[in-house]
Amino acid sequence: MTGHFVPQRRPSWAAFVIAAGLAALAAVMLWDATLLKQDGGYGGVGPADVPRLIAIGLLVLSAATVYAGIRGNVPRAPRQEPAPVLWMLGGLVAQLVLLHPAGFAIASGLLFGFTARAMGKKPLWLTCGVGFLMALVVYGIFDRLLKLDLPAGPIERLIFGG
């Protein structure tokens, strides 16, 4: 006896739950694809083909996850940190609350800044400013080029007139 202990691999039940979720999502996509009108025309490709391909890919991933779970070859989950999740939730709440009163650019800039903070980027004022500028550009594209309405606040009305 050399004293070496070889740990026995155990099935990973979390992998089985994930595989079941993937299979359920694939089943819903396949069912939904049967409800789409499938007249492929000359090329033979119709609107139900892409959802079917994605569902087949999900089924393959589900089977691979089951295989990895049986072998016990699943990486250990890292320790969860609540702070990043709370920063992102705070950004989403801020966007929901401020979207109509303050406008798209301010609300989306805060969401961007809070999410960047959750990912470890500092300082918050800089990431919110970058998010605000990017959201202002997106608002301009939607308003001027695409002629689609996003919630306008005082800054959007000042710059774009509406």
Side-chain angles (χ1 to χ4, degrees), residues 2 13 20 31 36 54 64 67 72-73 87 92-93 113 119 134 139:
T2 60
W13 296 105
W31 172 74
L36 295 173
I54 292 172
Y67 178 73
N73 193 11
W87 274 104
L92 283 170
V93 168
M119 303 291 174
M134 289 174 39
Y139 183 88

Side-chain angles (χ1 to χ4, degrees), residues 136-148 160:
L136 208 54
V137 169
V138 169
Y139 183 88
I141 291 170
F142 271 75
D143 186 56
R144 297 295 177 202
L145 295 176
L146 300 175
K147 305 292 185 206
L148 297 172
F160 298 104

Side-chain angles (χ1 to χ4, degrees), residues 2 25 27 32-34 38 47 51 64-65 74-75 80 88 100 110 112 114 120 123 127 129 138 141 145 158:
T2 60
L25 184 60
D32 190 49
T34 62
Q38 183 68 11
T65 304
V74 179
Q80 296 298 310
M88 284 189 239
H100 288 287
L110 286 174
F112 181 88
F114 280 37
T127 57
V138 169
I141 291 170
L145 295 176
L158 178 68

Side-chain angles (χ1 to χ4, degrees), residues 67-137:
Y67 178 73
I70 290 171
R71 292 196 51 192
N73 193 11
V74 179
R76 183 164 288 159
R79 187 168 103 49
Q80 296 298 310
E81 296 287 336
V85 175
L86 293 175
W87 274 104
M88 284 189 239
L89 285 175
L92 283 170
V93 168
Q95 186 184 37
L96 288 171
V97 169
L98 296 174
L99 190 59
H100 288 287
F104 177 78
I106 290 175
S108 297
L110 286 174
L111 174 63
F112 181 88
F114 280 37
T115 304
R117 176 64 180 91
M119 303 291 174
K121 187 70 177 165
K122 296 178 185 178
L124 184 61
W125 64 269
L126 180 63
T127 57
C128 286
V130 168
F132 170 74
L133 292 175
M134 289 174 39
L136 208 54
V137 169

